[in-house]
Amino acid sequence: MGTAIQISSLSKAFSHCKALQEVCLDVDAGEMVALIGASGSGKSTLLRHIAGFVAADVGEITVFGQAIQQDGRMSANVRRLRAGIGFVFQQFNLVGRLSVMTNVLTGLLYRTSPWRSLLMRFSTDERQQALEALVAVGIEQSAWQRAATLSGGQQQRAALARCLVQRARVILADEPIASLDPESARNVMDLLAGMNRQRGCTVVVSLHQVEYALKYCPRTVALHRGRIVYDGPSAALTPQLLGELYGADAQQL
């Protein structure tokens, strides 16, 4: 199926902190990969680099063969390339005062002209796409509610609907279940897994909870202090191995 994400020798430092150190990683198209690690391990930083939100100090990232960034410089086409990358934030990143429908429609902004983006002008066909996406995640009845009135689990579903409208080929989910109750967390992970299986989306999801990686992701990449310390089958992540990789920090997982 080819390579969806390719990362070569990626490093990033903030002040005196080495957030990422010589990270090399390939993710095949159609994979669902868990990214685990204790707080401060570099998970969020890595995802934000893949999405082109942050420039690295050195290294290269390509998505489906197109360079997102190289050696501290973003691609001139990064805005266009982001159209194919959906990003799911831990805190949902919805505009609370706007309707759920409008929040979902913002997934089209990378694909629309600047003046339409500024005026938030959407066609009838685009609104139908958004409604179909809301049906797919099970919250179509909330389409015209203000996003702030939804529960945490419903807001995360709206964020996933936004990725569907965006027609993202790659979905990067940054601890999407960290602030959810167990039932909502399972629902969100089920939706991500469904998007992976049924729509062929490549999914990379960062998690604190190893049990979700074991259940939903065949492959896990473990980060520790900005370095990849494990990349292999999730089923091999025994408590003993986690203890060897993380020491006392294994308790966070």
Side-chain angles (χ1 to χ4, degrees), residues 18-58:
K18 293 182 178 180
L20 297 172
Q21 302 184 60
E22 290 292 314
V23 171
C24 296
L25 178 67
D26 288 355
V27 178
D28 288 340
E31 275 198 285
M32 184 161 177
V33 179
L35 192 62
I36 67 167
S39 296
S41 62
K43 303 188 302 297
S44 295
T45 303
L46 180 57
L47 291 179
R48 288 172 180 273
H49 277 75
I50 299 170
F53 296 158
V54 183
D57 297 329
V58 296

mmCIF file of all heavy atoms in Angstrom, residues 18-58:
data_model
loop_
_atom_site.group_PDB
_atom_site.id
_atom_site.type_symbol
_atom_site.label_atom_id
_atom_site.label_comp_id
_atom_site.label_asym_id
_atom_site.label_seq_id
_atom_site.Cartn_x
_atom_site.Cartn_y
_atom_site.Cartn_z
ATOM 1 N N LYS A 18 15.747 18.654 25.108
ATOM 2 C CA LYS A 18 15.731 17.945 23.832
ATOM 3 C C LYS A 18 14.412 17.188 23.725
ATOM 4 O O LYS A 18 14.254 16.099 24.278
ATOM 5 C CB LYS A 18 16.920 16.995 23.741
ATOM 6 C CG LYS A 18 18.267 17.710 23.673
ATOM 7 C CD LYS A 18 19.417 16.737 23.533
ATOM 8 C CE LYS A 18 20.742 17.468 23.427
ATOM 9 N NZ LYS A 18 21.886 16.522 23.296
ATOM 10 N N ALA A 19 13.464 17.795 23.013
ATOM 11 C CA ALA A 19 12.126 17.218 22.922
ATOM 12 C C ALA A 19 12.088 15.996 22.019
ATOM 13 O O ALA A 19 11.370 15.026 22.290
ATOM 14 C CB ALA A 19 11.143 18.269 22.421
ATOM 15 N N LEU A 20 12.847 16.030 20.920
ATOM 16 C CA LEU A 20 12.955 14.903 20.002
ATOM 17 C C LEU A 20 14.412 14.712 19.639
ATOM 18 O O LEU A 20 15.125 15.690 19.378
ATOM 19 C CB LEU A 20 12.134 15.142 18.728
ATOM 20 C CG LEU A 20 10.624 15.282 18.895
ATOM 21 C CD1 LEU A 20 9.986 15.708 17.579
ATOM 22 C CD2 LEU A 20 9.989 13.990 19.399
ATOM 23 N N GLN A 21 14.855 13.439 19.610
ATOM 24 C CA GLN A 21 16.253 13.171 19.340
ATOM 25 C C GLN A 21 16.396 12.074 18.277
ATOM 26 O O GLN A 21 16.096 10.913 18.531
ATOM 27 C CB GLN A 21 16.971 12.718 20.617
ATOM 28 C CG GLN A 21 16.898 13.716 21.767
ATOM 29 C CD GLN A 21 17.699 13.272 22.968
ATOM 30 O OE1 GLN A 21 18.916 13.075 22.884
ATOM 31 N NE2 GLN A 21 17.040 13.101 24.103
ATOM 32 N N GLU A 22 16.800 12.486 17.082
ATOM 33 C CA GLU A 22 17.096 11.556 15.997
ATOM 34 C C GLU A 22 15.975 10.535 15.771
ATOM 35 O O GLU A 22 16.208 9.325 15.677
ATOM 36 C CB GLU A 22 18.407 10.818 16.287
ATOM 37 C CG GLU A 22 19.640 11.684 16.190
ATOM 38 C CD GLU A 22 19.931 12.136 14.750
ATOM 39 O OE1 GLU A 22 19.864 11.285 13.843
ATOM 40 O OE2 GLU A 22 20.185 13.333 14.552
ATOM 41 N N VAL A 23 14.756 11.034 15.667
ATOM 42 C CA VAL A 23 13.606 10.147 15.473
ATOM 43 C C VAL A 23 13.522 9.729 14.007
ATOM 44 O O VAL A 23 13.495 10.574 13.108
ATOM 45 C CB VAL A 23 12.302 10.841 15.903
ATOM 46 C CG1 VAL A 23 11.085 10.007 15.508
ATOM 47 C CG2 VAL A 23 12.312 11.089 17.405
ATOM 48 N N CYS A 24 13.473 8.432 13.781
ATOM 49 C CA CYS A 24 13.265 7.863 12.442
ATOM 50 C C CYS A 24 12.067 6.915 12.529
ATOM 51 O O CYS A 24 12.027 6.033 13.395
ATOM 52 C CB CYS A 24 14.499 7.089 11.972
ATOM 53 S SG CYS A 24 15.973 8.116 11.757
ATOM 54 N N LEU A 25 11.111 7.117 11.630
ATOM 55 C CA LEU A 25 9.879 6.332 11.719
ATOM 56 C C LEU A 25 9.192 6.279 10.362
ATOM 57 O O LEU A 25 9.059 7.304 9.689
ATOM 58 C CB LEU A 25 8.939 6.965 12.754
ATOM 59 C CG LEU A 25 7.573 6.311 12.948
ATOM 60 C CD1 LEU A 25 7.727 4.918 13.554
ATOM 61 C CD2 LEU A 25 6.692 7.177 13.838
ATOM 62 N N ASP A 26 8.748 5.088 9.966
ATOM 63 C CA ASP A 26 7.915 4.907 8.778
ATOM 64 C C ASP A 26 6.576 4.314 9.203
ATOM 65 O O ASP A 26 6.538 3.378 10.024
ATOM 66 C CB ASP A 26 8.571 3.955 7.776
ATOM 67 C CG ASP A 26 9.773 4.572 7.059
ATOM 68 O OD1 ASP A 26 10.033 5.770 7.278
ATOM 69 O OD2 ASP A 26 10.436 3.852 6.303
ATOM 70 N N VAL A 27 5.497 4.868 8.658
ATOM 71 C CA VAL A 27 4.155 4.335 8.902
ATOM 72 C C VAL A 27 3.528 4.033 7.552
ATOM 73 O O VAL A 27 3.435 4.915 6.690
ATOM 74 C CB VAL A 27 3.278 5.343 9.677
ATOM 75 C CG1 VAL A 27 1.866 4.782 9.863
ATOM 76 C CG2 VAL A 27 3.901 5.671 11.031
ATOM 77 N N ASP A 28 3.117 2.793 7.350
ATOM 78 C CA ASP A 28 2.519 2.403 6.076
ATOM 79 C C ASP A 28 1.099 2.933 5.939
ATOM 80 O O ASP A 28 0.391 3.133 6.939
ATOM 81 C CB ASP A 28 2.504 0.880 5.941
ATOM 82 C CG ASP A 28 3.882 0.300 5.696
ATOM 83 O OD1 ASP A 28 4.778 1.052 5.254
ATOM 84 O OD2 ASP A 28 4.074 -0.905 5.953
ATOM 85 N N ALA A 29 0.678 3.144 4.717
ATOM 86 C CA ALA A 29 -0.698 3.558 4.451
ATOM 87 C C ALA A 29 -1.656 2.499 4.988
ATOM 88 O O ALA A 29 -1.447 1.297 4.799
ATOM 89 C CB ALA A 29 -0.903 3.741 2.956
ATOM 90 N N GLY A 30 -2.680 2.955 5.704
ATOM 91 C CA GLY A 30 -3.683 2.047 6.242
ATOM 92 C C GLY A 30 -3.358 1.460 7.597
ATOM 93 O O GLY A 30 -4.165 0.710 8.156
ATOM 94 N N GLU A 31 -2.205 1.795 8.166
ATOM 95 C CA GLU A 31 -1.875 1.303 9.506
ATOM 96 C C GLU A 31 -2.613 2.094 10.577
ATOM 97 O O GLU A 31 -2.972 3.263 10.386
ATOM 98 C CB GLU A 31 -0.370 1.435 9.772
ATOM 99 C CG GLU A 31 0.472 0.295 9.277
ATOM 100 C CD GLU A 31 1.852 0.262 9.934
ATOM 101 O OE1 GLU A 31 2.709 1.092 9.585
ATOM 102 O OE2 GLU A 31 2.052 -0.606 10.792
ATOM 103 N N MET A 32 -2.810 1.455 11.733
ATOM 104 C CA MET A 32 -3.268 2.142 12.938
ATOM 105 C C MET A 32 -2.219 1.903 14.007
ATOM 106 O O MET A 32 -2.018 0.779 14.465
ATOM 107 C CB MET A 32 -4.631 1.648 13.409
ATOM 108 C CG MET A 32 -5.163 2.430 14.608
ATOM 109 S SD MET A 32 -6.943 2.248 14.834
ATOM 110 C CE MET A 32 -7.183 3.205 16.345
ATOM 111 N N VAL A 33 -1.522 2.969 14.381
ATOM 112 C CA VAL A 33 -0.338 2.879 15.229
ATOM 113 C C VAL A 33 -0.564 3.671 16.515
ATOM 114 O O VAL A 33 -1.030 4.821 16.481
ATOM 115 C CB VAL A 33 0.905 3.429 14.498
ATOM 116 C CG1 VAL A 33 2.141 3.356 15.398
ATOM 117 C CG2 VAL A 33 1.141 2.663 13.207
ATOM 118 N N ALA A 34 -0.237 3.060 17.634
ATOM 119 C CA ALA A 34 -0.280 3.755 18.917
ATOM 120 C C ALA A 34 1.080 4.375 19.207
ATOM 121 O O ALA A 34 2.125 3.771 18.937
ATOM 122 C CB ALA A 34 -0.658 2.791 20.036
ATOM 123 N N LEU A 35 1.052 5.570 19.769
ATOM 124 C CA LEU A 35 2.259 6.267 20.200
ATOM 125 C C LEU A 35 2.144 6.432 21.705
ATOM 126 O O LEU A 35 1.247 7.132 22.191
ATOM 127 C CB LEU A 35 2.330 7.624 19.498
ATOM 128 C CG LEU A 35 3.624 8.433 19.570
ATOM 129 C CD1 LEU A 35 4.767 7.689 18.914
ATOM 130 C CD2 LEU A 35 3.416 9.791 18.898
ATOM 131 N N ILE A 36 2.994 5.747 22.454
ATOM 132 C CA ILE A 36 2.878 5.787 23.906
ATOM 133 C C ILE A 36 4.129 6.411 24.523
ATOM 134 O O ILE A 36 5.175 6.523 23.882
ATOM 135 C CB ILE A 36 2.637 4.385 24.515
ATOM 136 C CG1 ILE A 36 3.870 3.479 24.325
ATOM 137 C CG2 ILE A 36 1.383 3.749 23.920
ATOM 138 C CD1 ILE A 36 3.807 2.201 25.165
ATOM 139 N N GLY A 37 3.978 6.794 25.783
ATOM 140 C CA GLY A 37 5.095 7.389 26.513
ATOM 141 C C GLY A 37 4.584 8.162 27.703
ATOM 142 O O GLY A 37 3.431 8.615 27.722
ATOM 143 N N ALA A 38 5.430 8.324 28.694
ATOM 144 C CA ALA A 38 5.068 9.114 29.872
ATOM 145 C C ALA A 38 4.993 10.587 29.493
ATOM 146 O O ALA A 38 5.398 10.991 28.393
ATOM 147 C CB ALA A 38 6.105 8.896 30.975
ATOM 148 N N SER A 39 4.461 11.402 30.377
ATOM 149 C CA SER A 39 4.389 12.838 30.129
ATOM 150 C C SER A 39 5.790 13.383 29.852
ATOM 151 O O SER A 39 6.751 13.039 30.544
ATOM 152 C CB SER A 39 3.795 13.546 31.349
ATOM 153 O OG SER A 39 2.469 13.134 31.557
ATOM 154 N N GLY A 40 5.903 14.213 28.809
ATOM 155 C CA GLY A 40 7.191 14.788 28.459
ATOM 156 C C GLY A 40 8.051 13.910 27.576
ATOM 157 O O GLY A 40 9.205 14.255 27.289
ATOM 158 N N SER A 41 7.492 12.797 27.096
ATOM 159 C CA SER A 41 8.294 11.881 26.277
ATOM 160 C C SER A 41 8.459 12.360 24.842
ATOM 161 O O SER A 41 9.329 11.877 24.125
ATOM 162 C CB SER A 41 7.668 10.481 26.283
ATOM 163 O OG SER A 41 6.370 10.519 25.723
ATOM 164 N N GLY A 42 7.578 13.288 24.403
ATOM 165 C CA GLY A 42 7.697 13.817 23.044
ATOM 166 C C GLY A 42 6.566 13.430 22.115
ATOM 167 O O GLY A 42 6.617 13.739 20.913
ATOM 168 N N LYS A 43 5.526 12.786 22.642
ATOM 169 C CA LYS A 43 4.428 12.307 21.786
ATOM 170 C C LYS A 43 3.738 13.465 21.063
ATOM 171 O O LYS A 43 3.593 13.451 19.840
ATOM 172 C CB LYS A 43 3.392 11.538 22.617
ATOM 173 C CG LYS A 43 3.924 10.359 23.397
ATOM 174 C CD LYS A 43 2.817 9.551 24.027
ATOM 175 C CE LYS A 43 1.930 10.340 24.965
ATOM 176 N NZ LYS A 43 2.643 10.870 26.138
ATOM 177 N N SER A 44 3.272 14.442 21.822
ATOM 178 C CA SER A 44 2.549 15.570 21.222
ATOM 179 C C SER A 44 3.454 16.351 20.280
ATOM 180 O O SER A 44 3.019 16.790 19.204
ATOM 181 C CB SER A 44 2.004 16.498 22.316
ATOM 182 O OG SER A 44 1.037 15.837 23.099
ATOM 183 N N THR A 45 4.703 16.526 20.680
ATOM 184 C CA THR A 45 5.649 17.259 19.838
ATOM 185 C C THR A 45 5.838 16.569 18.502
ATOM 186 O O THR A 45 5.856 17.209 17.443
ATOM 187 C CB THR A 45 7.009 17.395 20.558
ATOM 188 O OG1 THR A 45 6.811 18.042 21.806
ATOM 189 C CG2 THR A 45 7.991 18.208 19.727
ATOM 190 N N LEU A 46 5.950 15.247 18.528
ATOM 191 C CA LEU A 46 6.133 14.503 17.279
ATOM 192 C C LEU A 46 4.908 14.650 16.375
ATOM 193 O O LEU A 46 5.045 14.906 15.171
ATOM 194 C CB LEU A 46 6.403 13.032 17.587
ATOM 195 C CG LEU A 46 6.621 12.126 16.368
ATOM 196 C CD1 LEU A 46 7.763 12.623 15.503
ATOM 197 C CD2 LEU A 46 6.861 10.684 16.814
ATOM 198 N N LEU A 47 3.725 14.509 16.930
ATOM 199 C CA LEU A 47 2.511 14.632 16.116
ATOM 200 C C LEU A 47 2.389 16.020 15.507
ATOM 201 O O LEU A 47 2.002 16.173 14.342
ATOM 202 C CB LEU A 47 1.274 14.308 16.966
ATOM 203 C CG LEU A 47 1.109 12.852 17.399
ATOM 204 C CD1 LEU A 47 -0.148 12.693 18.254
ATOM 205 C CD2 LEU A 47 1.043 11.911 16.198
ATOM 206 N N ARG A 48 2.731 17.044 16.264
ATOM 207 C CA ARG A 48 2.636 18.414 15.752
ATOM 208 C C ARG A 48 3.659 18.678 14.644
ATOM 209 O O ARG A 48 3.411 19.481 13.739
ATOM 210 C CB ARG A 48 2.791 19.411 16.899
ATOM 211 C CG ARG A 48 1.569 19.436 17.814
ATOM 212 C CD ARG A 48 1.772 20.280 19.063
ATOM 213 N NE ARG A 48 0.576 20.269 19.886
ATOM 214 C CZ ARG A 48 -0.452 21.106 19.755
ATOM 215 N NH1 ARG A 48 -0.391 22.064 18.836
ATOM 216 N NH2 ARG A 48 -1.510 21.024 20.516
ATOM 217 N N HIS A 49 4.781 18.002 14.713
ATOM 218 C CA HIS A 49 5.755 18.118 13.617
ATOM 219 C C HIS A 49 5.235 17.440 12.352
ATOM 220 O O HIS A 49 5.393 17.974 11.249
ATOM 221 C CB HIS A 49 7.097 17.505 14.030
ATOM 222 C CG HIS A 49 7.964 18.421 14.829
ATOM 223 N ND1 HIS A 49 7.726 18.707 16.150
ATOM 224 C CD2 HIS A 49 9.066 19.142 14.491
ATOM 225 C CE1 HIS A 49 8.649 19.543 16.596
ATOM 226 N NE2 HIS A 49 9.474 19.828 15.599
ATOM 227 N N ILE A 50 4.618 16.260 12.507
ATOM 228 C CA ILE A 50 4.078 15.565 11.343
ATOM 229 C C ILE A 50 3.004 16.406 10.661
ATOM 230 O O ILE A 50 2.914 16.463 9.429
ATOM 231 C CB ILE A 50 3.513 14.185 11.738
ATOM 232 C CG1 ILE A 50 4.615 13.292 12.321
ATOM 233 C CG2 ILE A 50 2.871 13.501 10.526
ATOM 234 C CD1 ILE A 50 4.090 12.005 12.946
ATOM 235 N N ALA A 51 2.196 17.087 11.470
ATOM 236 C CA ALA A 51 1.116 17.913 10.933
ATOM 237 C C ALA A 51 1.608 19.225 10.332
ATOM 238 O O ALA A 51 0.838 19.936 9.678
ATOM 239 C CB ALA A 51 0.104 18.214 12.039
ATOM 240 N N GLY A 52 2.872 19.549 10.552
ATOM 241 C CA GLY A 52 3.410 20.795 10.019
ATOM 242 C C GLY A 52 3.050 22.008 10.847
ATOM 243 O O GLY A 52 3.073 23.137 10.355
ATOM 244 N N PHE A 53 2.737 21.793 12.124
ATOM 245 C CA PHE A 53 2.454 22.912 13.018
ATOM 246 C C PHE A 53 3.738 23.526 13.577
ATOM 247 O O PHE A 53 3.767 24.695 13.941
ATOM 248 C CB PHE A 53 1.600 22.457 14.218
ATOM 249 C CG PHE A 53 0.228 21.965 13.863
ATOM 250 C CD1 PHE A 53 -0.465 21.124 14.720
ATOM 251 C CD2 PHE A 53 -0.390 22.344 12.684
ATOM 252 C CE1 PHE A 53 -1.731 20.674 14.412
ATOM 253 C CE2 PHE A 53 -1.664 21.895 12.351
ATOM 254 C CZ PHE A 53 -2.332 21.052 13.223
ATOM 255 N N VAL A 54 4.796 22.692 13.659
ATOM 256 C CA VAL A 54 6.059 23.106 14.265
ATOM 257 C C VAL A 54 7.197 22.667 13.353
ATOM 258 O O VAL A 54 7.166 21.558 12.811
ATOM 259 C CB VAL A 54 6.248 22.459 15.662
ATOM 260 C CG1 VAL A 54 7.527 22.962 16.320
ATOM 261 C CG2 VAL A 54 5.046 22.727 16.561
ATOM 262 N N ALA A 55 8.196 23.528 13.213
ATOM 263 C CA ALA A 55 9.370 23.181 12.408
ATOM 264 C C ALA A 55 10.442 22.554 13.286
ATOM 265 O O ALA A 55 10.728 23.035 14.389
ATOM 266 C CB ALA A 55 9.924 24.427 11.717
ATOM 267 N N ALA A 56 11.037 21.474 12.818
ATOM 268 C CA ALA A 56 12.116 20.812 13.549
ATOM 269 C C ALA A 56 13.424 21.574 13.365
ATOM 270 O O ALA A 56 13.546 22.448 12.502
ATOM 271 C CB ALA A 56 12.263 19.379 13.061
ATOM 272 N N ASP A 57 14.409 21.234 14.172
ATOM 273 C CA ASP A 57 15.750 21.809 14.001
ATOM 274 C C ASP A 57 16.464 21.147 12.825
ATOM 275 O O ASP A 57 17.073 21.822 11.990
ATOM 276 C CB ASP A 57 16.564 21.636 15.283
ATOM 277 C CG ASP A 57 15.957 22.376 16.457
ATOM 278 O OD1 ASP A 57 15.314 23.428 16.244
ATOM 279 O OD2 ASP A 57 16.093 21.886 17.601
ATOM 280 N N VAL A 58 16.391 19.817 12.791
ATOM 281 C CA VAL A 58 16.966 19.050 11.680
ATOM 282 C C VAL A 58 16.043 17.883 11.392
ATOM 283 O O VAL A 58 15.206 17.503 12.211
ATOM 284 C CB VAL A 58 18.390 18.517 11.993
ATOM 285 C CG1 VAL A 58 19.371 19.659 12.184
ATOM 286 C CG2 VAL A 58 18.362 17.624 13.223
#
